[in-house]
Amino acid sequence: DAKTTQPPSMDCAEGRAANLPCNHSTISGNEYVYWYRQIHSQGPQYIIHGLKNNETNEMASLIITEDRKSSTLILPHATLRDTAVYYCIVRVNQGGSEKLVFGKGMKLTVNP
Amino acid sequence: DGGITQSPKYLFRKEGQNVTLSCEQNLNHDAMYWYRQDPGQGLRLIYYSQIVNDFQKGDIAEGYSVSREKKESFPLTVTSAQKNPTAFYLCASSLRGAKNIQYFGAGTRLSVL
């Protein structure tokens, strides 16, 4: 089972910042939060990951709360090409191996 | 051009037939994975391999088989025992280790005739 919860969908206006929330209240101290996105009929694309500090790269910023129970992915200037399903993922340990468990994700629609 | 290549992009299976989906990577990654995705759903792990000549069942391995004879290749066979094979199949690879960033191929869409 996924260890994260996300709203099923969200809309954003083109050019505005898109703030995508994720709850992971059962996260352990050494577990990373990963974000991927999947554009229709393509393979998922890695965006960013973090442990407890905020992270930024060329695609997005990741803000993790101090208690690490939630995080927000920020796309600073959303474009139409950012329309996709976004997955917030925490690794789980199953059978001695670390795995990524993808839930249903959140559909972000960027509108003109 | 580095990356993960899945082939074919579209595949059709007849009743009672086994089909094999190809996944090749030139990223020098040790670990490789196969996922299945049904419409409107997330990804479910079928099989994964952390090292050559070794692989482990994921959450939905029944009706599928894999091999890992080479580091670069991790083919998935959908056997006739898989009664509902129509889905989007995704292959991924990663370095071993704690950060485990997985990189995905473009996927193979399998349909039953």
Side-chain angles (χ1 to χ4, degrees):
Chain A
D1 292 332
K3 295 178 67 173
T4 63
T5 56
Q6 301 174 257
S9 64
M10 179 177 164
D11 281 29
C12 177
E14 187 179 19
R16 304 296 293 267
N19 297 305
L20 287 64
C22 180
N23 286 323
H24 31 80
S25 58
T26 61
I27 194 170
S28 299
N30 61 349
E31 291 179 328
Y32 284 78
V33 179
Y34 297 80
W35 283 83
Y36 285 76
R37 72 180 182 185
Q38 186 176 24
I39 296 170
H40 184 63
S41 294
Q42 297 182 23
Q45 177 190 24
Y46 165 78
I47 301 173
I48 199 167
H49 73 284
L51 183 62
K52 54 184 177 181
N53 297 322
N54 297 337
E55 303 287 345
T56 296
N57 63 19
E58 65 278 3
M59 291 183 68
S61 295
L62 175 61
I63 309 298
I64 303 174
T65 57
E66 193 168 343
D67 63 7
R68 302 213 323 121
K69 293 185 176 182
S70 65
S71 60
T72 301
L73 180 75
I74 301 173
L75 307 179
H77 305 287
T79 71
L80 299 179
R81 287 181 294 180
D82 291 323
T83 291
V85 176
Y86 286 77
Y87 297 95
C88 171
I89 299 162
V90 173
R91 282 181 301 122
V92 297
N93 188 307
Q94 290 182 353
S97 296
E98 301 286 339
K99 302 176 190 176
L100 299 178
V101 178
F102 287 76
K104 292 185 179 181
M106 187 199 80
K107 176 68 185 294
L108 173 69
T109 302
V110 181
N111 299 306
Chain B
D1 197 26
I4 302 171
T5 303
Q6 290 188 241
S7 62
K9 189 171 178 66
Y10 299 96
L11 186 59
F12 298 91
R13 193 191 90 165
K14 296 180 181 178
E15 291 287 339
Q17 186 181 42
N18 292 351
V19 292
T20 298
L21 285 61
S22 170
C23 179
E24 304 278 332
Q25 55 97 1
N26 61 4
L27 300 169
N28 201 32
H29 286 169
D30 290 302
M32 297 187 74
Y33 311 81
W34 273 106
Y35 293 88
R36 169 181 171 139
Q37 186 174 35
D38 292 285
Q41 303 298 312
L43 282 66
R44 292 185 290 169
L45 184 64
I46 305 173
Y47 267 99
Y48 63 101
S49 169
Q50 302 276 33
I51 197 168
V52 174
N53 292 323
D54 185 54
F55 49 83
Q56 306 295 329
K57 292 182 178 180
D59 301 316
I60 55 165
E62 186 175 351
Y64 300 97
S65 66
V66 293
S67 63
R68 187 82 188 280
E69 297 177 2
K70 298 186 300 181
K71 187 176 185 178
E72 302 80 16
S73 179
F74 191 40
L76 173 74
T77 297
V78 184
T79 74
S80 57
Q82 173 48 248
K83 298 306 179 188
N84 184 23
T86 297
F88 189 45
Y89 290 87
L90 289 156
C91 178
S93 71
S94 72
L95 293 169
R96 295 181 71 183
K99 291 189 178 179
N100 194 22
I101 297 171
Q102 293 186 18
Y103 296 92
F104 285 80
T108 293
R109 193 165 297 278
L110 175 62
S111 301
V112 176
L113 292 175

